[in-house]
Amino acid sequence: MGRTLRSILLVGAAISVAALLAGCGGLKPGNAKAMAPLKQETISRLAGLGSSPSAAMMVRIFKESSELEVWKQTANGSYKLFKSYEICAWSGVLGPKIKEGDRQSPEGFYTVTPGLMNPNSNYYLAFNTGFPNKFDRAYGRTGSDLMVHGDCSSRGCYSMTDESIAEIYALARESFKGGNASFQLQIYPFRMSAQNLAKHADNPNMSFWKDIKEGYDRFEISKAPVSWDVCNKEYVFDVPGGTALDALGSCPVTVAQNVPATVKAKAAADDAAMAQEVANLANKAAKEAAEAQKAADERAAAKARGEAIGSFFGGMFGGEAEPGVVDPSKVAPVPLPRLPRA
């Protein structure tokens, strides 16, 4: 009896240890949704790109157009767009998240590791964005459990359909299984074109957006995820290895010198195009305002002419009677009875 009890206790302890170890990895076995295999169609599409389920991946999010992109590394090392998914809902307005409870979805650069995957989410499946990151903490920004998840509803997160998050989750799972320690998540207010920047030129977040635009430009040119860090409370990119940066301290000279000529040229061209677009939008707004004022003046003049004409004829014929009152002097006479014919 004693040996049987000890055996039961040992088995129970072993099960408990196994459960704890499984929880450390972030991917809990036995969850059918989290462990569902990729569809053969998805695997074939990856092969068509020159990639595979185990290859590295990267995710980009664009708020304004409600898009989530998955990029996969190909055999030659560059990244290609695998698929663009529609985001059902995201919270707040364009701009970064500031504090817990502001119902604002974050923007910036984040690193997603296996430990941030949530197979038991109340919203089908999910992965944590990693907010707040080093940049967010430098500004004292707060928030927790900012996810990309299913269920098509959002309270500060990015919500997908269950079908979409199932595929995205499986792609991340297979990438981790392939030996990749993380994937990069880049979140932007919109595609960082000169036209979009000009459209939001008076937004108070413009300096922040210009900061993250460098990372956007680097990816657009290289088609590879950027390495990022923070100094002087700004994002900096592709910092030389071994350089330790203080998020609140000044950036080393080597960081400022580490911007490729192609990135500088693109930034200069975009700044010029943005300035021109801002001028075009201002001219268009001024023209529309002038046309609206002209139309209003014409309506006012027409109304004044109508009132003057009415007043003139009213004066000629004795004025207008009070509405609803019949003027006896203007009532037609009653005709006399017809006389009989002789």
Side-chain angles (χ1 to χ4, degrees), residues 1-21:
M1 183 69 179
R3 281 196 298 271
T4 302
L5 180 59
R6 281 196 299 274
S7 298
I8 291 172
L9 291 173
L10 286 171
V11 170
I15 291 172
S16 298
V17 171
L20 287 171
L21 290 174

Side-chain angles (χ1 to χ4, degrees), residues 319-327:
E320 296 182 356
E322 183 180 347
V325 178
V326 177
D327 184 348

Side-chain angles (χ1 to χ4, degrees), residues 206-226:
M206 183 54 65
S207 61
F208 166 68
W209 291 341
K210 285 289 191 75
D211 185 15
I212 63 175
K213 181 181 180 294
E214 183 183 331
Y216 176 91
D217 290 346
R218 284 175 181 258
F219 177 77
E220 288 292 299
I221 293 169
S222 69
K223 291 298 184 288
V226 296

